[in-house]
């Protein structure tokens, strides 16, 4: 924290919150992974491992995956909101707001900071006073109801390649860490870094620890986890769809742009990062693309193309 003294008070405060959020998320992720034991493998995944990367047996390498629109279509927090509405946690007018935000996310293909902040504030107010164990249990049900069918097969194949190589695979998301951990476990991943909501005695207070795990805070979380796990970031990989995650992608030696927004696609092309796009049947620009996703990538692209065609009819 000594380096923070050179910043202005406002920037120092923002940076300190990012560091706090990152460290809190990393600690929560490690505790969850230790409790869960050895990570499993992904279910029903058609994958073809890359011949040179990931490197098999490299225990100082790991993979970090953004969640929204990278691993899963849409935003996890909006799907979570639908599930809470079904269980009468809030009123119809709140559902309408969640639906509008989700529609924006799917159509625009990128995160609107105001929408995401509004969704986080709403979620915090909704869960205030509820037990952490209750939300985790509900999260399991919501995953089956709204999230399982929205996982991109191509991205799952990429994660599977890392698991097959004996590496740990982590989700890194602004979604609540409890929900992120449910998704990671159901996909057979090692664990998740997510936004940490404050709880006292197992009950949510309606406040956050630090700030949402977004943008620079994600990079801080990955950095903290890598230090705790003795990882070599130059041998690690990171995957995201958003230019907001460029700080995280820039940390690792193997950055991937998955279903990228226009700013990230441009940045990735300039730096010759690997690109994958599973949203349509078209191929992503071939910028250093390895044979990573195999049949899973084809399945992901084909499914998205069919869905797009049906919507246009």
């Amino acid at each position: 924290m000594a380096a923070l003294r050179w910043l202005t008070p406002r920037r120092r405060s923002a940076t300190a919150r990012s560091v706090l959020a990152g460290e809190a998320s990393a600690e929560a992720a490690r505790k969850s992974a230790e409790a869960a034991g050895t990570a499993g493998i992904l279910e029903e995944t058609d994958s073809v491992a890359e011949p040179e990367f990931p490197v098999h047996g490299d225990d100082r390498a790991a993979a970090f995956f953004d969640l929204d629109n990278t691993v899963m279509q849409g935003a996890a927090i909006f799907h979570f909101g639908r599930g809470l509405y079904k269980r009468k946690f809030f009123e119809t007018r709140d559902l309408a707001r969640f639906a509008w935000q989700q529609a924006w996310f799917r159509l625009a293909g990128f995160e609107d900071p105001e929408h995401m902040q509004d969704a986080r504030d709403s979620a915090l107010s909704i869960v205030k006073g509820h037990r952490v164990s209750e939300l985790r249990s509900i999260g399991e049900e919501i995953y089956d109801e709204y999230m399982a069918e929205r996982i991109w097969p191509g991205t799952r194949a990429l994660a599977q390649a890392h698991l097959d190589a004996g590496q740990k695979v982590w989700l890194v998301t602004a979604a609540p860490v409890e929900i992120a951990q449910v998704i990671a476990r159901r996909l057979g991943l090692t664990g998740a870094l997510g936004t940490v909501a404050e709880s006292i005695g197992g009950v949510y207070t309606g406040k956050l620890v630090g700030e949402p795990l977004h943008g620079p805070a994600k990079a801080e979380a990955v950095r903290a986890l890598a230090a705790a796990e003795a990882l070599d970031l130059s041998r690690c990989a990171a995957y995201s769809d958003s230019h907001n995650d460029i700080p995280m992608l820039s940390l690792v030696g193997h950055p991937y742009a998955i279903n990228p927004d226009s700013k990230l696609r441009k940045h990735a092309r300039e730096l010759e990062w690997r690109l994958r796009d599973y949203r349509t049947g078209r191929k992503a620009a071939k910028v250093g693309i390895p044979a990573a996703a195999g049949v899973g990538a084809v399945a992901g692209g084909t499914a998205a193309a069919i869905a797009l065609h049906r919507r246009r009819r």
Side-chain angles (χ1 to χ4, degrees):
M1 299 290 288
L4 297 181
R5 66 178 183 270
W6 300 108
L7 301 177
T8 64
R10 178 175 296 180
R11 293 189 63 191
R12 184 186 304 126
S13 176
T15 303
R17 289 197 302 271
S18 292
V19 172
L20 178 59
E23 291 178 348
S25 183
E27 180 64 18
R30 294 194 72 226
K31 286 181 179 179
S32 175
E34 289 170 0
T38 304
I41 59 174
L42 301 181
E43 302 173 1
E44 302 176 2
T45 301
D46 296 314
S47 64
V48 178
E50 295 174 314
E52 297 180 359
F53 181 79
V55 178
H56 286 250
D58 186 357
D59 59 5
R60 295 201 63 199
F64 302 94
F65 284 78
D66 168 57
L67 176 59
D68 297 344
N69 212 38
T70 301
V71 171
M72 180 175 66
Q73 300 174 50
I77 195 169
F78 301 143
H79 298 315
F80 185 57
R82 293 176 63 194
L84 292 182
Y85 171 77
K86 179 180 178 181
R87 291 158 178 81
K88 303 185 184 303
F89 271 66
F90 55 90
E91 302 299 325
T92 303
R93 63 177 179 274
D94 297 304
L95 178 65
R97 186 171 69 253
F98 271 103
W100 160 245
Q101 291 163 339
Q102 172 67 1
W104 169 271
F105 186 87
R106 291 179 65 86
L107 293 174
F110 61 87
E111 300 167 350
D112 181 286
E114 291 184 4
H115 287 179
M116 300 300 288
Q117 183 63 52
D118 184 41
R120 285 188 289 269
D121 291 343
S122 297
L124 284 170
S125 65
I126 289 167
V127 304
K128 181 179 180 181
H130 289 272
R131 299 197 66 81
V132 175
S133 58
E134 177 189 9
L135 268 294
R136 283 178 176 156
S137 177
I138 290 175
E140 296 280 355
E141 299 171 3
I142 291 175
Y143 177 82
D144 290 326
E145 293 169 358
Y146 299 113
M147 300 179 183
E149 65 182 8
R150 291 177 169 82
I151 303 299
W152 292 111
T155 312
R156 291 184 71 183
L158 292 170
Q160 182 66 56
H162 288 280
L163 293 172
D164 288 345
Q167 296 177 4
K168 293 183 177 180
V169 179
W170 304 84
L171 292 181
V172 188
T173 174
V177 68
E178 292 83 5
I179 303 306
Q181 289 169 350
V182 167
I183 296 170
R185 186 177 57 77
R186 297 294 290 272
L187 293 179
L189 310 183
T190 308
L193 298 157
T195 297
V196 179
E198 181 184 75
S199 63
I200 297 177
V203 177
Y204 289 112
T205 66
K207 301 178 182 178
L208 291 181
V209 177
E211 63 179 23
L213 201 70
H214 185 265
K218 281 189 178 181
E220 294 294 344
V222 168
R223 197 191 310 274
L225 184 62
E229 296 273 312
L231 299 174
D232 181 347
L233 285 171
S234 69
R235 288 143 70 172
C236 292
Y239 302 78
S240 179
D241 71 297
S242 174
H243 69 280
N244 293 314
D245 289 338
I246 287 175
M248 177 181 75
L249 294 170
S250 300
L251 277 182
V252 302
H254 302 277
Y256 285 72
I258 305 294
N259 304 328
D261 61 31
S262 59
K263 290 183 179 179
L264 178 57
R265 182 180 293 275
K266 181 176 183 293
H267 188 84
R269 282 173 170 164
E270 290 173 351
L271 297 184
E272 297 189 341
W273 288 355
R274 295 174 175 89
L275 294 173
R276 284 291 185 187
D277 199 322
Y278 305 127
R279 294 168 296 188
T280 70
R282 65 184 174 82
K283 289 185 178 180
K286 294 184 177 181
V287 181
I289 298 178
V295 177
V298 175
T302 302
I306 293 173
L308 182 63
H309 174 70
R310 287 176 177 171
R311 286 198 299 270
R312 288 176 174 174
R313 291 179 62 182

